Amino acid sequence: VNVRAGDATSRARVLPRRAWQVGLLFGAFVVVAAVVVDRWQAPAREADSRAEVRERMLPYAASLRAAVERRLGLLSGFRSFAESRRTRADLVDEFPLFAQGTLSGVEGVRVMQLVEDDRIVAILPEELRATMLGLDLGPLDPGNARQIRTGRPIVTGPIELREGGLGLLFRQQLPQRPGFPDLVTIIL
């Protein structure tokens, strides 16, 4: 009789241990299955999210495109202005008047710069001259140097601006002329 009582006690201890192991294995299986299903469905969820964003942006796409094109036209005008000056003295003398007219006449334009050898050589508004004139932009933006050399307009951003806040940078290379700036920049 004592032997049977010992068997019942050992059986009672073994069953809860096995139940715990089965529960742990089942839980691990559920976690692995959830991860596999999540990985399998991730591309579909991402495609759905992109489609939803595209659909929501559709009404604004035309106005956004027009705003960017207007600013690129402004950049083109700035480039033409800089290219048309015969001497550097003419460019330096006339830049403040040109930039002031642009800053006051076009909403959203915050800063206009002339850059030579990665250094700001002229900037408006005037209050930025003390902190920004002569600033070396090379270390701040090494990734875009190759893109800028293509001669096409480059739009960068939104980025944190040194002047504070977020902004977009519109830049374009000027034809190489000794003693002249090599880049025009508009910051929105």
Side-chain angles (χ1 to χ4, degrees):
V1 175
N2 287 340
V3 175
R4 285 188 174 169
D7 284 342
T9 305
S10 67
R11 220 183 273 161
R13 287 184 192 162
V14 172
L15 287 177
R17 229 182 256 162
R18 284 189 184 161
W20 181 78
Q21 291 171 344
V22 169
L24 183 63
L25 286 174
F26 181 74
F29 173 75
V30 168
V31 168
V32 168
V35 168
V36 167
V37 168
D38 180 62
R39 298 280 181 182
W40 177 58
Q41 291 182 345
R45 282 194 315 269
E46 185 177 332
D48 290 345
S49 294
R50 287 180 189 271
E52 182 181 344
V53 167
R54 213 173 295 124
E55 185 178 318
R56 286 185 180 184
M57 290 302 295
L58 195 58
Y60 307 104
S63 62
L64 185 59
R65 185 177 299 115
V68 169
E69 287 174 359
R70 278 193 307 271
R71 297 321 187 257
L72 286 174
L74 184 64
L75 182 68
S76 177
F78 187 18
R79 179 181 179 189
S80 295
F81 164 78
E83 288 176 353
S84 67
R85 304 305 115 183
R86 285 189 275 225
T87 66
R88 183 182 180 114
D90 289 344
L91 179 58
V92 170
D93 289 343
E94 295 172 21
F95 169 72
L97 186 60
F98 175 82
Q100 193 62 28
T102 303
L103 290 171
S104 63
V106 181
E107 185 179 338
V109 176
R110 292 177 58 184
V111 179
M112 294 181 73
Q113 303 171 346
L114 292 170
V115 178
E116 182 177 2
D117 296 328
D118 289 334
R119 294 198 181 276
I120 299 172
V121 294
I123 188 168
L124 236 68
E126 300 261 343
E127 58 266 13
L128 296 177
R129 284 187 180 190
T131 58
M132 302 289 286
L133 205 58
L135 179 69
D136 186 2
L137 300 173
L140 300 175
D141 194 15
N144 284 320
R146 194 174 329 123
Q147 288 178 326
I148 289 170
R149 285 190 214 112
T150 64
R152 293 179 300 192
I154 304 296
V155 179
T156 306
I159 62 169
E160 275 294 323
L161 300 174
R162 288 183 58 89
E163 302 85 17
L166 291 176
L168 294 175
L169 275 69
F170 285 65
R171 298 174 289 185
Q172 190 166 15
Q173 183 180 24
L174 295 169
Q176 291 185 347
R177 295 193 296 173
F180 276 82
D182 51 13
L183 187 68
V184 291
T185 303
I186 295 174
I187 301 175
L188 306 176

